[in-house]
Amino acid sequence: MDEAGWDVEPGDEIAPVVEAIGHLIKFHREAAGMRVVDFGEAMGYGEDLIRKVERGARIPRAEFLVKADEVLRAGGAISAMRPHVERARYPKKVRELAQLEDRAVELLLYSNHNIHGLLQTEEYARALLGTWRPAYSPDELERMLAARMARKSVFERSPAPELSFVQEEVTLRRPIGDTMVLRRQLEHMLEVAKLPYVELQVMPTDRANHPGTGGRIQVLKFKDGSGVGRTDGDFGGRPISDPRQLRVLDLRYGIIRAQALTPGESLVFIEQALGEL
Protein backbone atom coordinates (compact mmCIF):
# COMPACT_ATOMS: atom_id res chain seq x y z
CA MET A 1 0.00 0.00 0.00
CA ASP A 2 1.10 3.56 -0.64
CA GLU A 3 1.89 5.63 2.44
CA ALA A 4 -0.80 8.15 1.46
CA GLY A 5 -3.57 5.93 2.80
CA TRP A 6 -5.53 2.70 2.48
CA ASP A 7 -7.86 1.15 -0.06
CA VAL A 8 -11.59 1.31 0.68
CA GLU A 9 -12.91 -2.15 1.56
CA PRO A 10 -15.73 -3.52 -0.66
CA GLY A 11 -19.15 -2.82 0.83
CA ASP A 12 -17.73 -0.50 3.49
CA GLU A 13 -20.37 1.91 4.81
CA ILE A 14 -17.69 4.60 5.13
CA ALA A 15 -17.32 4.71 1.31
CA PRO A 16 -19.71 7.68 0.74
CA VAL A 17 -17.72 9.79 3.21
CA VAL A 18 -14.45 8.90 1.51
CA GLU A 19 -15.98 9.72 -1.89
CA ALA A 20 -17.17 13.11 -0.59
CA ILE A 21 -13.67 13.91 0.68
CA GLY A 22 -12.23 12.92 -2.70
CA HIS A 23 -14.70 15.17 -4.53
CA LEU A 24 -13.80 18.04 -2.17
CA ILE A 25 -10.10 17.65 -2.97
CA LYS A 26 -10.84 17.52 -6.70
CA PHE A 27 -13.02 20.65 -6.45
CA HIS A 28 -10.24 22.65 -4.80
CA ARG A 29 -7.59 21.27 -7.18
CA GLU A 30 -9.61 22.36 -10.20
CA ALA A 31 -10.42 25.70 -8.56
CA ALA A 32 -6.69 26.22 -8.10
CA GLY A 33 -6.14 25.48 -11.79
CA MET A 34 -3.88 22.50 -11.11
CA ARG A 35 -3.67 19.38 -13.23
CA VAL A 36 -3.64 15.99 -11.47
CA VAL A 37 0.00 15.46 -12.38
CA ASP A 38 1.02 18.89 -11.02
CA PHE A 39 -0.90 18.33 -7.79
CA GLY A 40 0.73 14.92 -7.43
CA GLU A 41 4.20 16.40 -7.83
CA ALA A 42 3.45 19.10 -5.27
CA MET A 43 2.16 16.47 -2.85
CA GLY A 44 4.98 14.02 -3.51
CA TYR A 45 2.71 11.25 -4.84
CA GLY A 46 2.01 9.69 -8.22
CA GLU A 47 -0.82 10.67 -10.53
CA ASP A 48 -2.52 7.27 -10.11
CA LEU A 49 -2.77 7.63 -6.37
CA ILE A 50 -4.17 11.17 -6.60
CA ARG A 51 -6.88 9.92 -8.95
CA LYS A 52 -7.75 7.11 -6.54
CA VAL A 53 -8.11 9.59 -3.68
CA GLU A 54 -10.27 11.91 -5.77
CA ARG A 55 -12.67 9.17 -6.82
CA GLY A 56 -12.95 7.76 -3.29
CA ALA A 57 -11.06 4.50 -3.86
CA ARG A 58 -8.34 5.37 -1.37
CA ILE A 59 -8.72 6.65 2.21
CA PRO A 60 -6.16 9.45 2.62
CA ARG A 61 -4.17 9.85 5.80
CA ALA A 62 -4.82 12.88 7.99
CA GLU A 63 -1.42 14.35 7.10
CA PHE A 64 -2.30 14.05 3.39
CA LEU A 65 -5.34 16.26 3.99
CA VAL A 66 -3.29 18.86 5.85
CA LYS A 67 -0.73 19.11 3.07
CA ALA A 68 -3.42 19.14 0.37
CA ASP A 69 -5.11 22.02 2.17
CA GLU A 70 -1.83 23.97 2.11
CA VAL A 71 -0.97 23.14 -1.52
CA LEU A 72 -4.46 24.03 -2.77
CA ARG A 73 -4.92 26.97 -0.37
CA ALA A 74 -8.29 25.59 0.66
CA GLY A 75 -8.47 27.66 3.83
CA GLY A 76 -9.01 24.69 6.13
CA ALA A 77 -11.87 23.11 4.17
CA ILE A 78 -9.86 19.97 3.37
CA SER A 79 -7.98 19.62 6.65
CA ALA A 80 -11.33 19.90 8.47
CA MET A 81 -12.08 16.39 7.14
CA ARG A 82 -9.42 14.85 9.38
CA PRO A 83 -11.83 13.49 12.04
CA HIS A 84 -13.69 11.59 9.30
CA VAL A 85 -10.59 9.90 7.90
CA GLU A 86 -9.34 9.12 11.39
CA ARG A 87 -12.42 6.96 11.87
CA ALA A 88 -12.33 5.59 8.32
CA ARG A 89 -8.71 4.47 8.49
CA TYR A 90 -9.51 1.51 10.75
CA PRO A 91 -10.52 -1.78 9.12
CA LYS A 92 -14.29 -2.23 8.87
CA LYS A 93 -14.48 -5.15 11.30
CA VAL A 94 -12.49 -3.25 13.90
CA ARG A 95 -14.69 -0.17 13.54
CA GLU A 96 -17.78 -2.32 14.05
CA LEU A 97 -16.27 -3.92 17.17
CA ALA A 98 -15.24 -0.52 18.55
CA GLN A 99 -18.77 0.80 18.04
CA LEU A 100 -20.19 -2.12 20.02
CA GLU A 101 -17.63 -1.64 22.80
CA ASP A 102 -18.51 2.07 22.93
CA ARG A 103 -22.18 1.18 23.52
CA ALA A 104 -21.60 -1.59 26.06
CA VAL A 105 -22.26 -1.05 29.77
CA GLU A 106 -20.68 -4.41 30.67
CA LEU A 107 -17.96 -6.43 28.94
CA LEU A 108 -17.16 -10.04 29.86
CA LEU A 109 -13.92 -11.19 28.23
CA TYR A 110 -12.20 -14.56 28.53
CA SER A 111 -8.89 -15.07 26.69
CA ASN A 112 -6.95 -18.32 26.46
CA HIS A 113 -4.26 -17.74 23.81
CA ASN A 114 -3.12 -14.14 24.13
CA ILE A 115 -3.69 -11.20 26.41
CA HIS A 116 -6.96 -9.51 25.42
CA GLY A 117 -6.61 -6.62 22.97
CA LEU A 118 -8.07 -4.08 25.41
CA LEU A 119 -5.31 -4.94 27.89
CA GLN A 120 -2.42 -4.92 25.43
CA THR A 121 0.36 -2.35 25.40
CA GLU A 122 1.31 -0.96 22.02
CA GLU A 123 4.62 -2.83 21.88
CA TYR A 124 2.99 -6.13 22.89
CA ALA A 125 0.27 -5.65 20.26
CA ARG A 126 2.86 -4.84 17.61
CA ALA A 127 4.85 -7.98 18.43
CA LEU A 128 1.69 -10.12 18.50
CA LEU A 129 0.38 -8.82 15.18
CA GLY A 130 3.82 -9.46 13.75
CA THR A 131 3.41 -13.19 14.38
CA TRP A 132 0.37 -13.53 12.10
CA ARG A 133 0.69 -15.37 8.79
CA PRO A 134 0.47 -14.41 6.05
CA ALA A 135 2.37 -11.44 7.40
CA TYR A 136 0.92 -7.95 7.29
CA SER A 137 2.71 -5.40 5.14
CA PRO A 138 4.31 -2.59 7.23
CA ASP A 139 1.42 -0.26 6.36
CA GLU A 140 -1.23 -2.87 7.16
CA LEU A 141 0.49 -3.59 10.47
CA GLU A 142 0.42 0.10 11.42
CA ARG A 143 -3.25 0.31 10.48
CA MET A 144 -4.17 -2.72 12.60
CA LEU A 145 -2.07 -1.45 15.50
CA ALA A 146 -3.65 2.00 15.42
CA ALA A 147 -7.11 0.43 15.38
CA ARG A 148 -6.33 -1.79 18.35
CA MET A 149 -4.96 1.12 20.39
CA ALA A 150 -7.97 3.29 19.50
CA ARG A 151 -10.30 0.72 21.07
CA LYS A 152 -8.66 1.39 24.44
CA SER A 153 -10.68 4.62 24.64
CA VAL A 154 -13.32 2.44 26.30
CA PHE A 155 -11.36 2.97 29.54
CA GLU A 156 -11.82 6.74 29.25
CA ARG A 157 -15.60 6.74 28.95
CA SER A 158 -17.70 8.47 31.57
CA PRO A 159 -19.48 6.65 33.02
CA ALA A 160 -17.13 3.78 32.36
CA PRO A 161 -18.50 0.32 31.55
CA GLU A 162 -17.91 -2.60 33.89
CA LEU A 163 -15.10 -4.74 32.50
CA SER A 164 -14.37 -8.31 33.55
CA PHE A 165 -11.30 -10.06 32.17
CA VAL A 166 -10.30 -13.67 32.75
CA GLN A 167 -6.88 -14.57 31.40
CA GLU A 168 -5.45 -18.05 31.16
CA GLU A 169 -2.12 -18.39 32.97
CA VAL A 170 -0.29 -19.21 29.73
CA THR A 171 -1.07 -15.76 28.33
CA LEU A 172 0.95 -14.22 31.18
CA ARG A 173 3.98 -16.39 30.49
CA ARG A 174 4.27 -16.52 26.69
CA PRO A 175 7.06 -13.99 25.90
CA ILE A 176 5.46 -12.27 22.92
CA GLY A 177 8.11 -9.89 21.58
CA ASP A 178 10.69 -10.60 24.25
CA THR A 179 11.01 -10.72 28.03
CA MET A 180 11.05 -6.95 28.44
CA VAL A 181 7.94 -6.54 26.29
CA LEU A 182 6.18 -9.11 28.47
CA ARG A 183 7.44 -7.44 31.64
CA ARG A 184 6.02 -4.06 30.64
CA GLN A 185 2.80 -5.79 29.57
CA LEU A 186 2.31 -7.38 32.98
CA GLU A 187 3.09 -4.08 34.70
CA HIS A 188 0.43 -2.42 32.56
CA MET A 189 -2.11 -5.07 33.53
CA LEU A 190 -1.43 -4.45 37.19
CA GLU A 191 -2.18 -0.76 36.65
CA VAL A 192 -5.39 -1.43 34.71
CA ALA A 193 -6.55 -3.86 37.39
CA LYS A 194 -6.54 -1.00 39.91
CA LEU A 195 -9.30 0.84 38.05
CA PRO A 196 -12.55 0.68 40.06
CA TYR A 197 -14.59 -0.60 37.13
CA VAL A 198 -12.16 -3.38 36.13
CA GLU A 199 -11.99 -6.94 37.48
CA LEU A 200 -9.02 -8.93 36.25
CA GLN A 201 -8.78 -12.64 37.07
CA VAL A 202 -6.30 -15.37 36.22
CA MET A 203 -7.26 -18.94 35.40
CA PRO A 204 -4.39 -21.17 36.58
CA THR A 205 -3.34 -23.90 34.18
CA ASP A 206 -4.09 -26.59 36.76
CA ARG A 207 -7.81 -25.69 36.64
CA ALA A 208 -8.41 -28.03 33.73
CA ASN A 209 -12.11 -28.78 34.26
CA HIS A 210 -13.76 -25.57 33.13
CA PRO A 211 -15.84 -24.63 30.05
CA GLY A 212 -13.22 -22.29 28.58
CA THR A 213 -11.44 -25.09 26.79
CA GLY A 214 -13.56 -24.41 23.70
CA GLY A 215 -11.91 -21.04 23.11
CA ARG A 216 -12.34 -17.34 23.76
CA ILE A 217 -15.59 -15.90 25.05
CA GLN A 218 -16.77 -12.31 24.64
CA VAL A 219 -20.09 -10.95 25.86
CA LEU A 220 -21.07 -7.29 25.54
CA LYS A 221 -24.20 -6.08 27.30
CA PHE A 222 -26.04 -2.86 26.48
CA LYS A 223 -28.15 -0.39 28.42
CA ASP A 224 -31.42 -1.60 26.91
CA GLY A 225 -30.84 -5.14 28.17
CA SER A 226 -29.73 -6.55 24.82
CA GLY A 227 -26.31 -7.98 24.16
CA VAL A 228 -23.96 -9.56 21.67
CA GLY A 229 -21.48 -12.37 22.18
CA ARG A 230 -18.98 -14.57 20.44
CA THR A 231 -17.06 -17.72 21.20
CA ASP A 232 -14.56 -19.78 19.25
CA GLY A 233 -16.28 -23.02 20.13
CA ASP A 234 -19.88 -22.56 19.01
CA PHE A 235 -22.20 -20.68 16.64
CA GLY A 236 -19.58 -20.82 13.89
CA GLY A 237 -17.50 -18.20 15.68
CA ARG A 238 -20.02 -15.56 14.52
CA PRO A 239 -21.46 -12.78 16.70
CA ILE A 240 -24.76 -13.80 18.27
CA SER A 241 -27.53 -11.73 19.85
CA ASP A 242 -30.27 -14.33 20.43
CA PRO A 243 -31.09 -14.27 24.19
CA ARG A 244 -31.04 -18.09 24.41
CA GLN A 245 -27.57 -18.28 22.88
CA LEU A 246 -26.32 -15.42 25.04
CA ARG A 247 -27.49 -17.31 28.15
CA VAL A 248 -25.19 -20.18 27.10
CA LEU A 249 -22.21 -17.81 27.02
CA ASP A 250 -23.29 -16.19 30.29
CA LEU A 251 -23.40 -19.62 31.93
CA ARG A 252 -19.97 -20.57 30.66
CA TYR A 253 -18.43 -17.27 31.62
CA GLY A 254 -19.97 -17.42 35.08
CA ILE A 255 -18.42 -20.84 35.72
CA ILE A 256 -15.06 -19.68 34.39
CA ARG A 257 -15.16 -16.61 36.59
CA ALA A 258 -16.04 -18.69 39.64
CA GLN A 259 -13.22 -21.19 39.04
CA ALA A 260 -10.56 -18.54 38.36
CA LEU A 261 -8.49 -16.88 41.08
CA THR A 262 -10.20 -13.96 42.78
CA PRO A 263 -9.15 -10.46 41.62
CA GLY A 264 -6.94 -10.07 44.70
CA GLU A 265 -5.33 -13.47 44.25
CA SER A 266 -4.87 -12.71 40.56
CA LEU A 267 -2.92 -9.53 41.27
CA VAL A 268 -0.58 -11.49 43.53
CA PHE A 269 -0.24 -14.14 40.81
CA ILE A 270 0.68 -11.55 38.18
CA GLU A 271 3.18 -9.92 40.53
CA GLN A 272 4.79 -13.32 41.10
CA ALA A 273 4.93 -13.98 37.34
CA LEU A 274 6.54 -10.58 36.90
CA GLY A 275 9.11 -11.40 39.54
CA GLU A 276 10.07 -14.57 37.68
CA LEU A 277 11.01 -12.70 34.51
Side-chain angles (χ1 to χ4, degrees), residues 219-234:
V219 179
L220 279 62
K221 299 182 179 182
F222 308 118
K223 191 174 183 179
D224 62 2
S226 64
V228 63
R230 175 180 287 176
T231 180
D232 294 332
D234 284 320

PDB file of all heavy atoms in Angstrom, residues 219-234:
ATOM      1  N   VAL A 219     -18.684 -11.324  25.730  1.00  0.00           N
ATOM      2  CA  VAL A 219     -20.089 -10.945  25.863  1.00  0.00           C
ATOM      3  C   VAL A 219     -20.144  -9.448  26.157  1.00  0.00           C
ATOM      4  O   VAL A 219     -19.522  -8.984  27.114  1.00  0.00           O
ATOM      5  CB  VAL A 219     -20.795 -11.725  26.987  1.00  0.00           C
ATOM      6  CG1 VAL A 219     -22.259 -11.267  27.092  1.00  0.00           C
ATOM      7  CG2 VAL A 219     -20.736 -13.227  26.733  1.00  0.00           C
ATOM      8  N   LEU A 220     -20.870  -8.724  25.336  1.00  0.00           N
ATOM      9  CA  LEU A 220     -21.069  -7.293  25.544  1.00  0.00           C
ATOM     10  C   LEU A 220     -22.542  -7.054  25.826  1.00  0.00           C
ATOM     11  O   LEU A 220     -23.416  -7.509  25.073  1.00  0.00           O
ATOM     12  CB  LEU A 220     -20.644  -6.499  24.297  1.00  0.00           C
ATOM     13  CG  LEU A 220     -19.162  -6.214  24.096  1.00  0.00           C
ATOM     14  CD1 LEU A 220     -18.353  -7.495  23.953  1.00  0.00           C
ATOM     15  CD2 LEU A 220     -18.946  -5.315  22.875  1.00  0.00           C
ATOM     16  N   LYS A 221     -22.821  -6.343  26.911  1.00  0.00           N
ATOM     17  CA  LYS A 221     -24.205  -6.081  27.302  1.00  0.00           C
ATOM     18  C   LYS A 221     -24.476  -4.584  27.210  1.00  0.00           C
ATOM     19  O   LYS A 221     -23.637  -3.759  27.578  1.00  0.00           O
ATOM     20  CB  LYS A 221     -24.454  -6.588  28.725  1.00  0.00           C
ATOM     21  CG  LYS A 221     -24.234  -8.091  28.865  1.00  0.00           C
ATOM     22  CD  LYS A 221     -24.542  -8.582  30.262  1.00  0.00           C
ATOM     23  CE  LYS A 221     -24.337 -10.092  30.371  1.00  0.00           C
ATOM     24  NZ  LYS A 221     -24.670 -10.611  31.723  1.00  0.00           N
ATOM     25  N   PHE A 222     -25.691  -4.251  26.734  1.00  0.00           N
ATOM     26  CA  PHE A 222     -26.038  -2.859  26.477  1.00  0.00           C
ATOM     27  C   PHE A 222     -27.104  -2.353  27.443  1.00  0.00           C
ATOM     28  O   PHE A 222     -27.757  -3.131  28.154  1.00  0.00           O
ATOM     29  CB  PHE A 222     -26.502  -2.705  25.028  1.00  0.00           C
ATOM     30  CG  PHE A 222     -25.522  -3.282  24.039  1.00  0.00           C
ATOM     31  CD1 PHE A 222     -25.894  -4.337  23.211  1.00  0.00           C
ATOM     32  CD2 PHE A 222     -24.231  -2.795  23.957  1.00  0.00           C
ATOM     33  CE1 PHE A 222     -24.997  -4.872  22.304  1.00  0.00           C
ATOM     34  CE2 PHE A 222     -23.324  -3.320  23.055  1.00  0.00           C
ATOM     35  CZ  PHE A 222     -23.704  -4.370  22.235  1.00  0.00           C
ATOM     36  N   LYS A 223     -27.272  -1.048  27.456  1.00  0.00           N
ATOM     37  CA  LYS A 223     -28.148  -0.393  28.423  1.00  0.00           C
ATOM     38  C   LYS A 223     -29.598  -0.854  28.314  1.00  0.00           C
ATOM     39  O   LYS A 223     -30.319  -0.908  29.307  1.00  0.00           O
ATOM     40  CB  LYS A 223     -28.065   1.121  28.230  1.00  0.00           C
ATOM     41  CG  LYS A 223     -28.722   1.933  29.322  1.00  0.00           C
ATOM     42  CD  LYS A 223     -28.453   3.422  29.130  1.00  0.00           C
ATOM     43  CE  LYS A 223     -29.060   4.235  30.268  1.00  0.00           C
ATOM     44  NZ  LYS A 223     -28.780   5.695  30.096  1.00  0.00           N
ATOM     45  N   ASP A 224     -30.027  -1.202  27.103  1.00  0.00           N
ATOM     46  CA  ASP A 224     -31.424  -1.598  26.909  1.00  0.00           C
ATOM     47  C   ASP A 224     -31.676  -3.060  27.255  1.00  0.00           C
ATOM     48  O   ASP A 224     -32.785  -3.568  27.054  1.00  0.00           O
ATOM     49  CB  ASP A 224     -31.860  -1.331  25.465  1.00  0.00           C
ATOM     50  CG  ASP A 224     -31.058  -2.135  24.438  1.00  0.00           C
ATOM     51  OD1 ASP A 224     -30.191  -2.933  24.846  1.00  0.00           O
ATOM     52  OD2 ASP A 224     -31.303  -1.947  23.231  1.00  0.00           O
ATOM     53  N   GLY A 225     -30.676  -3.748  27.781  1.00  0.00           N
ATOM     54  CA  GLY A 225     -30.838  -5.144  28.175  1.00  0.00           C
ATOM     55  C   GLY A 225     -30.444  -6.129  27.090  1.00  0.00           C
ATOM     56  O   GLY A 225     -30.396  -7.339  27.344  1.00  0.00           O
ATOM     57  N   SER A 226     -30.171  -5.655  25.903  1.00  0.00           N
ATOM     58  CA  SER A 226     -29.729  -6.551  24.823  1.00  0.00           C
ATOM     59  C   SER A 226     -28.232  -6.806  24.956  1.00  0.00           C
ATOM     60  O   SER A 226     -27.556  -6.230  25.811  1.00  0.00           O
ATOM     61  CB  SER A 226     -30.043  -5.935  23.460  1.00  0.00           C
ATOM     62  OG  SER A 226     -29.303  -4.738  23.277  1.00  0.00           O
ATOM     63  N   GLY A 227     -27.726  -7.668  24.093  1.00  0.00           N
ATOM     64  CA  GLY A 227     -26.306  -7.978  24.156  1.00  0.00           C
ATOM     65  C   GLY A 227     -25.842  -8.655  22.883  1.00  0.00           C
ATOM     66  O   GLY A 227     -26.632  -8.982  21.996  1.00  0.00           O
ATOM     67  N   VAL A 228     -24.549  -8.839  22.795  1.00  0.00           N
ATOM     68  CA  VAL A 228     -23.959  -9.562  21.672  1.00  0.00           C
ATOM     69  C   VAL A 228     -22.772 -10.345  22.217  1.00  0.00           C
ATOM     70  O   VAL A 228     -22.091  -9.903  23.149  1.00  0.00           O
ATOM     71  CB  VAL A 228     -23.516  -8.588  20.543  1.00  0.00           C
ATOM     72  CG1 VAL A 228     -22.428  -7.634  21.030  1.00  0.00           C
ATOM     73  CG2 VAL A 228     -23.039  -9.352  19.329  1.00  0.00           C
ATOM     74  N   GLY A 229     -22.573 -11.533  21.676  1.00  0.00           N
ATOM     75  CA  GLY A 229     -21.482 -12.369  22.178  1.00  0.00           C
ATOM     76  C   GLY A 229     -20.825 -13.143  21.063  1.00  0.00           C
ATOM     77  O   GLY A 229     -21.304 -13.185  19.930  1.00  0.00           O
ATOM     78  N   ARG A 230     -19.706 -13.743  21.403  1.00  0.00           N
ATOM     79  CA  ARG A 230     -18.977 -14.567  20.435  1.00  0.00           C
ATOM     80  C   ARG A 230     -18.104 -15.547  21.199  1.00  0.00           C
ATOM     81  O   ARG A 230     -17.597 -15.233  22.280  1.00  0.00           O
ATOM     82  CB  ARG A 230     -18.114 -13.684  19.523  1.00  0.00           C
ATOM     83  CG  ARG A 230     -17.236 -14.487  18.559  1.00  0.00           C
ATOM     84  CD  ARG A 230     -16.397 -13.581  17.685  1.00  0.00           C
ATOM     85  NE  ARG A 230     -17.187 -12.907  16.677  1.00  0.00           N
ATOM     86  CZ  ARG A 230     -16.703 -12.001  15.821  1.00  0.00           C
ATOM     87  NH1 ARG A 230     -15.438 -11.654  15.895  1.00  0.00           N
ATOM     88  NH2 ARG A 230     -17.490 -11.456  14.915  1.00  0.00           N
ATOM     89  N   THR A 231     -17.964 -16.731  20.640  1.00  0.00           N
ATOM     90  CA  THR A 231     -17.056 -17.721  21.205  1.00  0.00           C
ATOM     91  C   THR A 231     -16.429 -18.509  20.073  1.00  0.00           C
ATOM     92  O   THR A 231     -17.044 -18.681  19.008  1.00  0.00           O
ATOM     93  CB  THR A 231     -17.785 -18.676  22.172  1.00  0.00           C
ATOM     94  OG1 THR A 231     -16.850 -19.632  22.691  1.00  0.00           O
ATOM     95  CG2 THR A 231     -18.908 -19.419  21.482  1.00  0.00           C
ATOM     96  N   ASP A 232     -15.216 -18.981  20.280  1.00  0.00           N
ATOM     97  CA  ASP A 232     -14.556 -19.783  19.250  1.00  0.00           C
ATOM     98  C   ASP A 232     -15.232 -21.136  19.067  1.00  0.00           C
ATOM     99  O   ASP A 232     -15.228 -21.708  17.983  1.00  0.00           O
ATOM    100  CB  ASP A 232     -13.076 -20.018  19.619  1.00  0.00           C
ATOM    101  CG  ASP A 232     -12.268 -18.736  19.601  1.00  0.00           C
ATOM    102  OD1 ASP A 232     -12.628 -17.827  18.844  1.00  0.00           O
ATOM    103  OD2 ASP A 232     -11.271 -18.653  20.342  1.00  0.00           O
ATOM    104  N   GLY A 233     -15.815 -21.646  20.141  1.00  0.00           N
ATOM    105  CA  GLY A 233     -16.275 -23.022  20.135  1.00  0.00           C
ATOM    106  C   GLY A 233     -17.609 -23.290  19.493  1.00  0.00           C
ATOM    107  O   GLY A 233     -17.848 -24.376  18.970  1.00  0.00           O
ATOM    108  N   ASP A 234     -18.518 -22.325  19.503  1.00  0.00           N
ATOM    109  CA  ASP A 234     -19.884 -22.562  19.011  1.00  0.00           C
ATOM    110  C   ASP A 234     -20.355 -21.436  18.103  1.00  0.00           C
ATOM    111  O   ASP A 234     -19.712 -20.390  17.989  1.00  0.00           O
ATOM    112  CB  ASP A 234     -20.858 -22.685  20.180  1.00  0.00           C
ATOM    113  CG  ASP A 234     -20.751 -24.035  20.889  1.00  0.00           C
ATOM    114  OD1 ASP A 234     -20.594 -25.051  20.198  1.00  0.00           O
ATOM    115  OD2 ASP A 234     -20.803 -24.047  22.127  1.00  0.00           O
TER     116      ASP A 234
END
